[in-house]
Amino acid sequence: MASSAAYSRIAVVGTGGYGWHFLRALVGSKHFATVRAVTRSTAGNKQEDEEKRLRNQELKSMGVQVVAYADISVKAFEETFKDIDIVVSAVGVAGVADQIPMIDGAILAGVKWFIPSEYGVADYQSMWMPFSSPLAAKSLVRDHLFTVAKPKGLAHTIVYTGMALDYLDPRAIGLQLGKRTATLVGRGGTPATFTSIHDVVRLIVEIVKRPQEMQNRTIRFAGSTANMRNLIKVVTGSNCGEHLRIISIDEAKERFFELARSRNTKAFHVYARLLIEEGLAQINRCNEPLDNALFPTISPESVHKTLERLMAKASAAAAEGSGGLAGMKVAPVHRSDTAKSVTDGLGKSYKQGGPSVLSSSDSDTF
């Protein structure tokens, strides 16, 4: 096993979302001689390309190397990962399967350690959904790391942290922070895992500093374990009353199938809530041990504190007349890459042609 001193060059794939935060934190840690951002050469439209250009410009000003790849191929990733020891993937749901050629390129480039884009929930199989989970591609990536990459000398670490409500728009799970209202699917008593994006970033920086302890294992780190009733009480001040609407599971499933058949991206709203109610958002639902004790310097923010922080920002934004969640650079939840990717997968299951249909409003799904 190589020593920590040997790992001085790190690359992060993806410069938006988690990737942006990882890169800033890695530079700030001053632990690595080289911090490289790996990004697609173009995003596909003028607005996204301009945002990417400005983001890359700021990264360069921080001392980050910015390297672009033109296509999803083993050769492209091999070139991109030259002279790199560790690759941290921060691709979104739509890019999960792209990590297989990414891994193969890393092997050819001589990379020593690959951390795939997990940072959320595992792809536990649903008991009712009549098709593979949109997260199923993560299993293919893990299998590739175990059966192909590890024998060829590429180590890995799988990291599960649950949902980050300061990254995932809380409206996806029925919490309207600005209005202090909520929509609950089911009874709301099923445990789920929540970890703020700030703590996920601190965790990843800590992991990559400790290769001898952290390679070839799965890390489960939880900021909080809470149920929807707990969160709703924080947002609305109560578990009942006019500020809470309750939807039965049967009604939610009916709405889910209706939206999935028409490939409306608001299917993602219902998917997320049913996932929580079924227990699939808990990273240790099969009693796997948590690894928080391995990171004594990280005292995670509770999900209650995260919600209070986000509600304060929402109130400040409303007072300023700007609306929305101040400081949260997220697309409306039903227009995000995650929502579009999930919905396209659902539509394919019903053999419906055409791309996902973006909903026209941010109103709740039900």
Side-chain angles (χ1 to χ4, degrees):
M1 182 74 68
S3 69
S4 178
Y7 290 176
S8 62
R9 302 162 300 182
I10 190 167
V12 176
V13 183
T15 59
Y18 276 105
W20 171 259
H21 294 284
F22 290 162
L23 287 160
R24 287 170 56 91
L26 288 166
V27 170
S29 75
K30 302 186 185 302
H31 186 82
F32 296 94
T34 298
V35 178
R36 181 178 299 172
V38 177
T39 181
R40 285 295 296 265
S41 54
T42 60
N45 66 62
K46 288 185 178 180
Q47 181 179 345
E48 290 183 13
D49 284 344
E50 177 61 13
E51 291 174 356
K52 183 185 289 284
R53 185 188 69 79
L54 294 174
R55 196 160 56 235
N56 291 346
Q57 189 176 36
E58 186 169 349
L59 288 170
K60 289 177 182 177
S61 72
M62 291 188 282
V64 175
Q65 294 181 0
V66 178
V67 177
Y69 59 94
D71 59 84
I72 308 296
S73 68
V74 174
K75 183 64 176 176
F77 287 121
E78 180 186 4
E79 291 295 322
T80 298
F81 296 147
K82 279 185 176 178
D83 304 317
I84 289 295
D85 300 312
I86 308 170
V87 171
V88 177
S89 175
V91 299
V93 171
V96 167
D98 297 341
Q99 292 177 112
I100 291 179
M102 196 183 295
I103 292 165
D104 292 339
I107 293 169
L108 294 175
V111 173
K112 302 176 181 68
W113 189 8
F114 188 94
I115 299 177
S117 184
E118 293 282 353
Y119 324 123
V121 298
D123 56 319
Y124 295 117
Q125 186 61 47
S126 171
M127 297 300 291
W128 66 268
M129 195 179 294
F131 39 76
S132 296
S133 161
L135 304 177
K138 291 187 175 185
S139 292
L140 300 177
V141 173
R142 288 196 299 274
D143 289 345
H144 199 70
L145 285 168
F146 299 156
T147 62
V148 176
K150 186 178 177 182
K152 293 182 179 180
L154 180 63
H156 63 266
T157 304
I158 311 297
V159 182
Y160 295 125
T161 53
M163 292 178 287
L165 291 185
D166 47 357
Y167 176 68
L168 173 70
D169 188 329
R171 290 171 296 183
I173 60 173
L175 303 176
Q176 297 279 349
L177 304 190
K179 299 177 181 178
R180 302 294 196 269
T181 61
T183 303
L184 172 65
V185 169
R187 299 190 178 198
T190 309
T193 306
F194 300 91
T195 306
S196 77
I197 190 170
H198 307 295
D199 291 323
V200 176
V201 171
R202 293 164 64 198
L203 176 67
I204 293 300
V205 172
E206 186 69 20
I207 286 172
V208 296
K209 290 179 181 179
R210 297 157 58 182
Q212 290 182 311
E213 297 173 71
M214 298 296 158
Q215 287 183 343
N216 296 322
R217 65 183 299 174
T218 296
I219 298 294
R220 288 180 168 84
F221 184 95
S224 295
T225 299
N227 61 46
M228 285 302 302
R229 289 280 182 178
N230 302 145
L231 305 191
I232 288 167
K233 190 170 184 178
V234 174
V235 173
T236 70
S238 174
N239 275 326
C240 57
E242 62 181 354
H243 298 295
L244 173 63
R245 183 183 180 193
I246 300 176
I247 306 295
S248 72
I249 293 176
D250 287 342
E251 183 182 350
K253 288 179 180 179
E254 183 178 345
R255 181 63 170 152
F256 174 80
F257 289 124
E258 175 190 341
L259 292 168
R261 290 188 192 99
S262 62
R263 298 186 80 159
N264 187 309
T265 52
K266 280 200 171 183
F268 175 66
H269 284 240
V270 195
Y271 169 79
R273 297 179 214 186
L274 286 168
L275 179 146
I276 293 172
E277 184 64 15
E278 193 176 354
L280 305 184
Q282 185 179 11
I283 62 173
N284 60 332
R285 73 184 301 257
C286 296
N287 297 316
E288 301 94 335
L290 293 176
D291 297 300
N292 290 44
L294 296 175
F295 307 95
T297 62
I298 302 177
S299 297
E301 178 181 68
S302 71
V303 67
H304 300 77
K305 292 293 184 183
T306 301
L307 281 174
E308 290 169 358
R309 174 165 55 84
L310 294 178
M311 287 191 294
K313 288 184 177 181
S315 296
E320 294 170 3
S322 58
L325 295 175
M328 290 184 66
K329 295 183 178 180
V330 294
V333 64
H334 60 275
R335 299 181 69 89
S336 70
D337 286 342
T338 300
K340 287 184 281 187
S341 174
V342 167
T343 306
D344 284 342
L346 302 179
K348 288 174 184 176
S349 300
Y350 288 106
K351 298 181 172 59
Q352 302 292 321
S356 57
V357 178
L358 294 176
S359 180
S360 60
S361 74
D362 283 324
S363 60
D364 199 18
T365 307
F366 297 99

